Amino acid sequence: MTSAPASNSTAHWRHLDAAHHLHPFSNTKSLNAEGVRVITHAAGSYIFDSEGNKILDGMSGLWCSSVGHGRHDIVDAISDQLKTLDYYNTFFKTTHPAAAELAAAIAEVAPAGMRHVFFTSGGSEAVDTVIRMVRHYWAAMGKPEKHIFIARRNAYHGSTVGGASLGGMKPMHAQGGLPIPGIVHVQQPYWWAEGGDMTPEAFGLHAAREVARAIDEAGAENVAAFIGEPIQGAGGVVIPPATYWPEVQKICRERDVLLVSDEVICGFGRTGEWFGCQYMGVAPDLITFAKGVTSGYFPLGGVIVGARVAEGFIEHGGEFNHGFTYSGHPGGCAAALANLRILHGEKLVERVKSEIGPYLQARWLKLAEHPLVGEARMVGLIGALELTPDKARRAKFAQEEGTVGLLCRDISFSEGLVMRAVRDGMILAPPFTLSFAEADLLADTAVRVLDRTYAELQARGWLVAA
Ligand SMILES: *Cc1c(COP(=O)(O)O)cnc(C)c1O
């Protein structure tokens, strides 16, 4: 008989986890067979696992930890808040100081003319709120037939029924009877994979014109809004050509279609601007946010509402039959306020724009010289590498898509760096507090990971184009 594993051992937690815990976006059967990694603590730019490994958190958790791990200012702010007011709702003609102060603090950093905030518990709820708010706005303005949303293929807008429907992820639509009606998906501005012989600039315009075509086909009188991430995150850090967003904005304005910027990843500094739409040079009507607003210390998301929708909604909308028990949770609001104090106090958005961002970009973009890397791209502190067996052709691997990416990701983990694989590319989004030495370590590790991946592909005979 084998003895039971110690109560503080990897085996113990793996056992409990495999027996009872169903993981998001996971294949439970293969995960249980492989054994899950147990993260026990984190500090600064590092996470630590139950085997004692120290790993550079190149993904900020899941795009969240902008100010780094273990910031006691935020923990204390949450704790103080919960000791004072643990919970109350914001439904019944009530508010609380942290919710009111956070709404004002967000309005302060939001793009010009965006002065109102609706709170949710996360990004998916924010996206669902947009669907209901925008349709309700148009109905209140006497145009209830304006209900269709235009979104992009390979976009990620969350995992609720509404969010997953607006998103353009085929594997998500394949489960649970999605998407819901009233959504049209169009070309994504992903030059590397879909740009063909066009220059990036020409392809950006081409992809934007697909938005015009979709609106015109549905009839602008039936179209409520266009939604897009300034930079697609989960879709593989797809940075659109500079021509794309201004053209999309022009197309939407000409057709009286609202513009929604899903800033759950880009918002609160990731691109070096407070919001990704500012980096792209456009002014949306609504912005969704979550993740970086609290740096992940507490779940909170929401929608920033611009003047046009806010005025129509407030003047003509009557009661909005929508909200969440945890809309404006005191703990989340306190976390966000403390996180914003750090972003301001340490000038972290400026740091991403003009210090650590350009520093890491210089090293990251150089990885394109590696024989395995077809393209290296990065804006602010969000980037990607496209792995390819044939750079000139931007070719895919003959192996099933994602195989090489997973191999590279596992090698990266074993080298002490979290990079995430999307298809056969690697993506990166480290904390804004990353030091210059950590940026060097990250880049040096990435080179080693690419070398090891290349050697492994060679050994397996996988350096073959599809
Ligand atoms: C993560 C994400 C969401 C969903 O947020 P959750 O907090 O996981 O519900 C929505 N949109 C974008 C762009 C995201 O990256």
Side-chain angles (χ1 to χ4, degrees):
M1 217 179 100
T2 54
S3 55
S7 66
N8 63 345
S9 72
T10 306
H12 173 66
W13 291 312
R14 275 192 182 158
H15 169 75
L16 295 181
D17 205 77
H20 304 291
H21 185 184
L22 297 173
H23 288 251
F25 284 98
S26 299
N27 177 329
T28 299
K29 193 170 169 182
S30 60
L31 180 64
N32 289 351
E34 193 179 335
V36 70
R37 184 185 291 270
V38 183
I39 305 301
T40 51
H41 57 292
S45 301
Y46 292 92
I47 55 172
F48 298 82
D49 71 15
S50 55
E51 300 290 276
N53 295 304
K54 177 182 179 182
I55 307 162
L56 186 57
D57 186 6
M59 280 303 297
S60 300
L62 205 42
W63 321 94
C64 295
S65 315
S66 306
V67 301
H69 296 285
R71 305 293 303 243
H72 287 198
D73 288 1
I74 304 181
V75 179
D76 291 345
I78 297 168
S79 166
D80 290 347
Q81 174 60 57
L82 296 189
K83 284 177 198 156
T84 309
L85 176 67
D86 50 288
Y87 174 73
Y88 199 70
N89 70 75
T90 51
F91 283 30
F92 306 124
K93 300 188 182 178
T94 58
T95 190
H96 57 83
E101 283 166 20
L102 179 60
I106 291 175
E108 210 49 52
V109 296
M114 306 193 79
R115 308 295 295 163
H116 290 84
V117 183
F118 187 101
F119 289 119
T120 68
S121 320
S124 302
E125 287 182 0
V127 168
D128 278 33
T129 297
V130 159
I131 297 176
R132 302 202 56 206
M133 184 182 281
V134 162
R135 285 180 174 164
H136 178 59
Y137 163 78
W138 283 119
M141 302 309 288
K143 296 182 176 175
E145 63 288 349
K146 274 177 94 70
H147 72 288
I148 293 173
F149 278 79
I150 311 291
R152 286 96 52 85
R153 291 190 278 277
N154 193 40
Y156 187 77
H157 296 300
S159 198
T160 50
V161 169
S165 292
L166 274 185
M169 299 286 179
K170 269 194 214 145
M172 293 178 76
H173 291 174
Q175 296 174 348
L178 304 182
I180 56 172
I183 298 168
V184 177
H185 291 96
V186 300
Q187 166 90 56
Q188 58 173 330
Y190 188 9
W191 177 79
W192 165 266
E194 300 176 7
D197 294 336
M198 280 182 253
T199 62
E201 293 69 30
F203 176 68
L205 291 176
H206 165 81
R209 286 182 196 128
E210 290 299 299
V211 176
R213 207 163 69 169
I215 296 172
D216 295 343
E217 230 165 68
E221 69 281 8
N222 299 314
V223 178
F226 169 86
I227 184 168
E229 307 152 76
I231 293 169
Q232 286 157 260
V237 183
V238 177
I239 302 172
T243 47
Y244 178 76
W245 270 105
E247 187 68 13
V248 167
Q249 169 169 271
K250 181 164 156 274
I251 285 162
C252 289
R253 294 277 183 271
E254 283 168 0
R255 290 161 176 78
D256 202 23
V257 166
L258 296 174
L259 194 62
V260 185
S261 190
D262 185 348
E263 304 253 3
V264 170
I265 288 174
C266 291
F268 297 95
R270 178 60 58 193
T271 65
E273 302 289 341
W274 276 91
F275 293 91
C277 57
Q278 296 167 318
Y279 180 87
M280 295 297 167
V282 296
D285 297 289
L286 302 106
I287 287 174
T288 49
F289 65 90
K291 296 186 175 134
V293 68
T294 62
S295 283
Y297 283 78
F298 206 98
L300 180 94
V303 184
I304 309 176
V305 185
R308 178 181 178 183
V309 174
E311 277 164 25
F313 180 83
I314 293 165
E315 284 305 311
H316 309 289
E319 180 167 336
F320 186 36
N321 301 317
H322 173 78
F324 303 101
T325 302
Y326 295 140
S327 284
H329 191 289
C333 292
L337 282 166
N339 184 57
L340 284 172
R341 279 196 294 275
I342 292 175
L343 290 176
H344 285 298
E346 298 177 11
K347 297 191 164 45
L348 289 179
V349 182
E350 294 86 336
R351 183 168 194 271
V352 172
K353 182 174 182 153
S354 37
E355 288 172 31
I356 191 63
Y359 187 83
L360 185 63
Q361 286 158 27
R363 296 231 37 199
W364 186 257
L365 298 187
K366 242 180 117 53
L367 297 175
E369 291 166 14
H370 194 278
L372 195 54
V373 178
E375 182 180 82
R377 50 180 186 263
M378 183 175 279
V379 162
L381 284 179
I382 177 168
L385 302 174
E386 298 282 359
L387 307 185
T388 176
D390 182 347
K391 295 184 189 221
R393 288 178 42 226
R394 311 210 298 270
K396 295 186 174 192
F397 291 93
Q399 295 300 312
E400 189 188 342
E401 188 170 69
T403 312
V404 171
L406 280 184
L407 178 77
C408 184
R409 196 231 13 214
D410 288 346
I411 290 173
S412 186
F413 243 113
S414 73
E415 289 284 343
L417 170 65
V418 181
M419 290 195 282
R420 176 170 159 191
V422 177
R423 296 176 299 276
D424 293 317
M426 304 310 295
I427 61 175
L428 191 82
F432 305 172
T433 46
L434 190 78
S435 71
F436 293 106
E438 287 166 347
D440 284 333
L441 174 68
L442 192 162
D444 293 342
T445 307
V447 171
R448 234 177 13 254
V449 169
L450 290 167
D451 286 345
R452 272 185 61 190
T453 306
Y454 191 80
E456 185 67 32
L457 293 177
Q458 230 165 6
R460 296 188 191 193
W462 284 3
L463 276 171
V464 180

